[in-house]
Amino acid sequence: MAEISTEQQLEKMREDWDQRARENARFYVNTASENWTEEEFFKSGELTVSEEILTDLGNICQGKPPGTMRVLEVGCGAGRVTRALAALFGEVHAVDVSGEMVRLAREALRDYPKAFVYQNNGRDLSVVPDLLFDFAFSSIVFQHIPSREIIENYVREVHRLLRPGALFKFQVQGDSTIETKPDDTWLGASFDERQTSDMAFRCGFEPRYRHGAGEQYFWLWFFKR
Ligand SMILES: C[S@@+](CC[C@H](N)C(=O)[O-])C[C@H]1O[C@@H](n2cnc3c(N)ncnc32)[C@H](O)[C@@H]1O
């Protein structure tokens, strides 16, 4: 296959995710059902928050009341998890490469005046106001990004916006049998344990914990040094 430039790759991500959002946003966001009701879809986001955040408040909040915290989400999709984050934390800022997803997320968050959603360029967080964040989260997003360089750029960008000591908890693809192609925006680049620690150190994080190496849901706890 012919090489494609990063610019072409980013354009493809935006187009493909816009298309998926128009076709069946809820399904492409969470493939557990092709026919989510609105209620069940957002319940599934609450479940993600229960499983990944409420069980881990020590690492995430570090003694701060959640209602006083400003948090960042990378790849918010239709606002499924963002809405549950907004119900828990004081302020939420979220980005997504797809304008269609951003439109849906804004709709989902219309009753949350302290939730802000931005369409970004697919590789950095320059659209996010220059504020300090207390926690950052990303789930089932990097598993769709076919470039390790872009994923690492996000890790570096999150580091720029977090306050020292704060956590970036995120999921990557850990199954190395997955074959990625530069123009395939569904199957993302995989990481092994060594690659995740090297990435953490290069970006100024301490890779304190990890869970699910070798699996699709490979979770990482990176603390800003
Ligand atoms: C499977 S959905 C998950 C959405 C959300 N995290 C959730 O769990 O409900 C993946 C999302 O990642 C977004 N995405 C894909 N590549 C991206 C990139 N390079 N930068 C930002 N967002 C991206 C897509 O537009 C899509 O909304």
Side-chain angles (χ1 to χ4, degrees), residues 11-224:
E11 196 178 320
K12 183 90 180 2
M13 284 178 206
R14 190 176 58 246
E15 284 171 3
D16 287 357
W17 281 102
D18 276 347
Q19 176 57 30
R20 290 172 188 137
R22 283 190 284 263
E23 202 183 303
N24 189 345
R26 293 178 192 160
F27 166 67
Y28 286 108
V29 161
N30 183 345
T31 53
S33 167
E34 284 190 45
N35 302 297
W36 289 104
T37 63
E38 181 176 337
E39 195 188 336
E40 289 304 319
F41 178 70
F42 287 105
K43 268 227 166 76
S44 77
E46 288 166 22
L47 188 66
T48 300
V49 167
S50 300
E51 291 177 348
E52 310 300 341
I53 295 193
L54 296 180
T55 55
D56 198 15
L57 289 177
N59 286 316
I60 291 168
C61 301
Q62 303 173 8
K64 280 195 169 198
T68 67
M69 290 173 61
R70 178 184 295 131
V71 312
L72 176 67
E73 186 189 12
V74 179
C76 62
R80 184 180 73 97
V81 175
T82 328
R83 192 151 103 177
L85 292 173
L88 176 65
F89 293 106
E91 198 174 306
V92 178
H93 296 249
V95 303
D96 200 283
V97 71
S98 156
E100 291 293 325
M101 289 290 186
V102 164
R103 192 177 55 74
L104 295 170
R106 286 186 178 145
E107 223 171 275
L109 289 154
R110 61 185 179 273
D111 296 332
Y112 294 85
K114 295 214 164 172
F116 306 92
V117 185
Y118 316 93
Q119 181 178 6
N120 79 332
N121 56 15
R123 70 166 145 206
D124 69 36
L125 299 171
S126 52
V127 290
V128 178
D130 217 358
L131 299 163
L132 264 190
F133 287 81
D134 300 300
F135 170 58
F137 185 74
S138 184
S139 165
I140 53 174
V141 175
F142 295 160
Q143 66 166 29
H144 294 295
I145 298 183
S147 152
R148 278 205 198 103
E149 289 71 33
I150 291 177
I151 295 169
E152 179 157 336
N153 202 55
Y154 271 127
V155 173
R156 194 169 293 112
E157 279 287 272
V158 170
H159 179 275
R160 178 174 66 79
L161 292 173
L162 282 181
R163 66 163 173 74
L167 170 65
F168 181 24
K169 181 172 183 176
F170 64 104
Q171 174 257 348
V172 294
Q173 174 62 262
D175 178 355
S176 59
T177 64
I178 298 282
E179 282 185 35
T180 53
K181 299 193 202 90
D183 66 343
D184 178 348
T185 65
W186 187 253
L187 296 177
S190 65
F191 289 80
D192 63 23
E193 290 177 278
R194 176 71 195 271
Q195 286 166 323
T196 62
S197 332
D198 288 351
M199 175 165 70
F201 292 125
R202 281 194 298 269
C203 296
F205 281 104
E206 181 210 335
R208 201 174 298 168
Y209 314 112
R210 51 182 174 241
H211 176 75
E215 297 166 14
Q216 177 179 356
Y217 298 100
F218 184 12
W219 282 95
L220 301 165
W221 283 252
F222 283 14
F223 289 81
K224 178 164 172 167

